[in-house]
Structures are given as C-alpha cells and as structure tokens.
Amino acid sequence: MEENDDDYELPLTRDNVEKVLDEMRPYLQSDGGNVRLAEIDGPVIKLELEGACGTCPSSSMTMKMGLERKLKERIPEIAEVVQSMPSAPELNEANIETVLDGVRPFLSVAGGKISIQSITGAGGLQPAIALRMEGSAASLQSVKMEIMQRIQRYFMQSLRIEWV
C-alpha cells in the first residue's frame, strides 16, 4: 500500500491524528482558520478550532461533518471528536451578564433594556442564548448585531442567539 493512499486505516496515535489533520488544514487555512489537537482522551479526540474557524457559525458543522468524519474514517478507533475550548470563559448567566453590562449604559440612554431569557446546550457543540430587548433600541438590527458579536467574542465560540 502506498503512503499517500487515503483508503488505508491508521492506529490511534497522536502522530496519526496530526497526519489526518494535516490533510485537512489547507481547507481550513483557506478560510482563515486552523485546527489544533488539544488532547487524546482514550477514544475521544479534543480539537481546538483556531482563527476564523473558532468563531464561525459553521464551526459545529466543520467539526462533525468534516474533521470528525475524516478522522473516524481513517482511524476507526476514534469514538468521538469534540471541540475543546480551554481558554474560553464558562457559558453561564453570570458571564453573559458581564457582557451585557457593557452595553446596558448605551441601551438605557435610548430607553431600552436587555435580559437573559434562557441558556440551553451549555457545554455542547451549539449552545443557544435567548435574549429579550425592550425599548426603542429593540428594533435596531445594528444594536442586536453588536450584542451578538460581543457575546461570541467573549466566549470565543459560535453561539446561537435568539431574540424573544
């Protein structure tokens, strides 16, 4: 069998995981991102998406349909590939409030206010936050976009933010 043959299976080692990731890196890099092997925990591979990939709304799709599929195809011992977020703050109400406190003074000048309605899927691949904004600023899409971007930058991950 040739070394470049994509059809052969590999044993689960750090070098082999890196080898398979190296085959996929050019695609991620062409979009301004990259991937780093954070940890191998038994049959679970923990990857960290970097650059543009870390905050891309499609990051969970990239992780599951791209990286996980190819890694499991080449290294069948892998049971799961998960996204590692070691430097990101924990997604919880107190940390979301910290971000919202940064925009509340501007909202209050316009007679508006914002509150957290719910947090779902924390710790999963696609967590969601439901926010409620009231007052005249509530109808401004630019204000909502700014709040969404601040939250995603703070937590360094793709979050689904719903307005209720």
Side-chain angles (χ1 to χ4, degrees):
M1 227 175 270
E2 286 187 27
E3 187 70 20
N4 293 337
D5 184 5
D6 281 350
D7 294 332
Y8 69 97
E9 294 178 356
L10 300 168
L12 177 53
T13 66
R14 187 169 197 86
D15 286 344
N16 286 338
V17 171
E18 287 289 356
K19 181 179 186 173
V20 176
L21 291 175
D22 284 344
E23 295 171 9
M24 296 181 283
R25 281 193 172 97
Y27 304 105
L28 299 172
Q29 291 167 345
S30 70
D31 286 331
N34 205 345
V35 63
R36 182 181 72 78
L37 174 57
E39 182 182 355
I40 298 176
D41 185 9
V44 177
I45 306 300
K46 295 182 180 179
L47 301 177
E48 186 173 341
L49 292 174
E50 300 175 327
C53 292
T55 56
C56 174
S58 300
S59 65
S60 61
M61 184 73 79
T62 298
M63 182 66 68
K64 287 295 178 188
M65 300 304 292
L67 299 171
E68 181 178 61
R69 185 189 59 76
K70 185 70 169 181
L71 282 164
K72 288 170 89 173
E73 180 181 291
R74 293 290 305 280
I75 307 171
E77 293 172 68
I78 295 173
E80 185 179 18
V81 176
V82 297
Q83 190 168 356
S84 174
M85 307 290 276
S87 56
E90 183 181 348
L91 179 62
N92 60 34
E93 190 168 340
N95 285 333
I96 295 169
E97 290 290 353
T98 298
V99 177
L100 296 179
D101 285 346
V103 297
R104 282 192 171 109
F106 306 105
L107 287 176
S108 67
V109 167
K113 59 184 181 177
I114 189 166
S115 60
I116 301 168
Q117 298 299 298
S118 67
I119 303 168
T120 57
L125 284 177
Q126 187 68 45
I129 302 169
L131 299 173
R132 180 178 184 86
M133 192 162 45
E134 299 176 51
S136 58
S139 63
L140 297 176
Q141 194 61 29
S142 60
V143 173
K144 290 179 179 177
M145 285 299 296
E146 176 63 25
I147 292 168
M148 290 168 60
Q149 288 173 353
R150 285 185 184 210
I151 290 172
Q152 289 182 341
R153 273 194 310 265
Y154 184 84
F155 291 103
M156 298 178 3
Q157 66 177 318
S158 176
L159 299 167
R160 193 173 73 242
I161 299 174
E162 302 162 350
W163 299 94
V164 294

